[in-house]
Amino acid sequence: MGGMKKVYGLVGYPIAHSLSPAMHNAAFKAAGIEALYRLFDLDPGKPDDLANFCYEVDLNQMGGFSVTIPYKQAIMAYMDFYDPLAKTIGAVNTVKVKRDKKHDAPVLIGYNTDAGGALAALNEKTRLPGKRVLVMGAGGAARAVVYGLKAAGADVHVFNRTPEKAQALADEFDVNSIEYRIIKPEANFDVIINATSVGMTPNATESLLHADQIKKGSLVLDLVTDPMRTQLLKEAKQAGAETVAGARMLLFQAALQFKIWFGREAPFEAMEKALYAELEKR
Ligand code: NAP
């Protein structure tokens, strides 16, 4: 019966251009799972909407959902349990809805797949232990990336527009915070990661760094997914650096979400194909 189909989705705002439905619906099809992944665009101007969404998971037949800006921290108040990693990072981007059979009630469990997604995307191109890595940003995504890099044995340096936040993040995860003026090729960063929203559409010509600040032969990952080829990645190419687009991280973190929801490996190739087909259309 159509009414029994489980629903998965993305909670955030604004999310109309999200690449997630294409990837997850392709995964469901490839894995033979009767489910639908859809968008839940919740206006931050209506604070009750997030609470109502969480209380109504049964009504919406939810099996789980992804969470993005601006709710990765706010959603934590509605979780019954957290994965320890999500608790340490302080942000939830994946929720699994389980059943408490005794009380016939839904149980919400929060996870974070951003750290794993970033590491997997970087690991396709480089080994991380001992590498000098610059992370730009100190928001939710930067926290996940810094945590993951530190755990992987990288030598992590954080820069942020608001320096106090970079310092607080560096203190919390026992890494270094640096000033903008240090960012030049002589600083010898092997990997540079943009975990800010700078360069996102409609400000796609903006970049925190210019080519003359990037070391030749280094690796640059931009978490921004829209546009796919950001100005920072163009500057990196010009500097003779290798690049990784945010879409690659998005793909790996989505595959981790699938595993959390269904307890088995994601049909990675089907998700990858759907993602790039969707990007082609844009
Ligand atoms: P967030 O918590 O709102 O943090 C935003 C960060 O960007 C802060 O460090 C902020 O600095 C900085 N920033 C914003 N505008 C800036 C400007 N004009 N100049 C300099 N710095 C600026 O957001 P988030 O959740 O961490 O997300 C950050 C980005 O990562 C977004 O583009 C998001 O879409 C992307 N992301 C991608 C993936 C993926 O899978 N590819 C996953 C997660 C997130 P201040 O502290 O000074 O305000």
Side-chain angles (χ1 to χ4, degrees):
M1 256 169 46
M4 297 306 288
K5 207 172 191 172
K6 275 280 181 210
V7 175
Y8 292 79
L10 173 64
V11 176
Y13 182 88
I15 50 174
H17 294 113
S18 170
L19 296 158
S20 294
M23 278 189 294
H24 283 296
N25 283 320
F28 297 164
K29 195 169 168 210
I33 293 168
E34 274 289 310
L36 170 75
Y37 188 100
R38 48 165 290 214
L39 299 176
F40 295 90
D41 214 333
L42 303 186
D43 183 349
K46 299 179 187 161
D48 289 346
D49 283 7
L50 186 65
N52 289 337
F53 173 83
C54 291
Y55 297 138
E56 287 172 358
V57 286
D58 268 359
L59 203 66
N60 287 323
Q61 298 180 343
M62 305 294 301
F65 52 95
S66 320
V67 185
T68 190
I69 291 178
Y71 298 121
K72 285 185 187 178
Q73 267 117 30
I75 200 84
M76 294 183 84
Y78 304 102
M79 295 299 106
D80 296 297
F81 298 101
Y82 304 110
D83 179 65
L85 178 65
K87 196 167 183 181
T88 306
I89 292 170
V92 161
N93 79 334
T94 307
V95 178
K96 182 178 171 110
V97 182
K98 277 192 152 181
R99 270 224 95 64
D100 172 351
K101 294 205 176 90
K102 199 164 147 204
H103 301 99
D104 191 26
V107 177
L108 273 58
I109 310 170
Y111 296 83
N112 189 303
T113 63
D114 282 336
L119 289 187
L122 290 168
N123 279 330
E124 285 193 300
K125 303 261 184 175
T126 189
R127 284 178 42 78
L128 290 164
K131 291 279 160 66
R132 270 176 74 79
V133 184
L134 167 63
V135 178
M136 300 188 290
R143 288 180 65 84
V145 168
V146 166
Y147 172 84
L149 288 167
K150 171 83 181 170
D155 174 18
V156 185
H157 302 257
V158 184
F159 158 75
N160 190 50
R161 173 177 64 177
T162 311
E164 297 76 22
K165 286 196 203 162
Q167 190 59 54
L169 176 57
D171 290 346
E172 191 178 340
F173 291 111
D174 192 23
V175 300
N176 310 290
S177 83
I178 62 152
E179 291 174 34
Y180 185 78
R181 61 179 176 79
I182 289 174
I183 308 174
K184 44 190 167 191
E186 301 78 64
N188 217 14
F189 291 118
D190 303 304
V191 180
I192 295 177
I193 299 169
N194 177 38
T196 75
S197 42
V198 176
M200 261 171 89
T201 303
N203 302 312
T205 55
E206 289 178 4
S207 170
L208 275 178
L209 301 185
H210 297 291
D212 62 4
Q213 293 171 282
I214 300 168
K215 186 177 78 163
K216 190 176 176 194
S218 61
L219 180 65
V220 178
L221 162 65
D222 197 338
L223 263 58
V224 168
T225 53
D226 178 19
M228 163 111 160
R229 274 181 46 74
T230 61
Q231 186 61 34
L232 173 65
L233 295 183
K234 290 179 190 166
E235 301 282 343
K237 273 245 151 68
Q238 203 184 316
E242 263 203 280
T243 58
V244 182
R248 205 68 203 155
M249 168 175 164
L250 190 73
L251 171 64
F252 279 109
Q253 70 77 33
L256 291 170
Q257 293 185 318
F258 182 98
K259 196 169 179 188
I260 288 167
W261 291 333
F262 303 106
R264 54 172 148 145
E265 291 301 327
F268 187 81
E269 277 159 30
M271 296 175 87
E272 185 178 37
K273 205 171 144 199
L275 171 66
Y276 289 108
E278 188 63 30
L279 285 166
E280 281 280 296
K281 288 187 208 158
R282 300 180 173 198

